[in-house]
Amino acid sequence: MFIYNVTTKLNPGIEVEWLEWMKDTHIPEVIQTGCFTESRILRLLESDDSDGFTYTVQFMAETKAAYEQYLEVHAALLRNRTLSKWNNKVIAFRSLMELIH
């Protein structure tokens, strides 16, 4: 199993709207690509939240090929939609992890 992890730092004051958008719009769009089987949202704890909260959204892919297909076919469009929606109100970085145990 491969986990596509997107860590996002939010500007203060957009948390509720961002979470609703993630749950109702963005995550369903990513899952509908067929590249991932499930997802989860986590909030980073034990960090300085005075300048906004940090979340991580994880998407599970059965194979690395499924993740690579997402990158090649779908990622640019969905990232552009996110950028159009939130502009500079969020900062994100992405990583890929492999589940070992």
Side-chain angles (χ1 to χ4, degrees):
M1 165 113 18
F2 292 86
I3 302 170
Y4 174 47
N5 185 80
V6 182
T7 301
T8 306
K9 179 75 168 183
L10 308 177
N11 279 8
I14 68 165
E15 179 183 15
V16 171
E17 183 184 0
W18 182 84
L19 280 169
E20 288 175 4
W21 177 79
M22 288 299 291
K23 293 175 190 176
D24 298 340
T25 303
H26 186 67
I27 290 174
E29 288 177 338
V30 173
I31 295 297
Q32 287 171 3
T33 67
C35 299
F36 302 101
T37 57
E38 60 182 288
S39 65
R40 63 181 161 221
I41 302 173
L42 302 100
R43 186 166 64 97
L44 186 65
L45 300 177
E46 298 182 349
S47 66
D48 179 7
D49 296 331
S50 62
D51 60 345
F53 292 108
T54 301
Y55 284 86
T56 181
V57 180
Q58 298 180 340
F59 299 96
M60 289 62 169
E62 292 294 324
T63 64
K64 191 171 181 189
Y67 162 76
E68 290 169 347
Q69 178 182 359
Y70 173 78
L71 289 182
E72 292 171 16
V73 178
H74 306 284
L77 173 65
L78 293 172
R79 287 179 187 173
N80 285 337
R81 286 182 185 167
T82 300
L83 188 57
S84 293
K85 172 75 176 162
W86 300 105
N87 197 9
N88 61 353
K89 295 178 183 176
V90 300
I91 298 171
F93 72 90
R94 295 155 182 87
S95 54
L96 179 66
M97 300 176 281
E98 182 178 13
L99 182 62
I100 302 300
H101 177 74

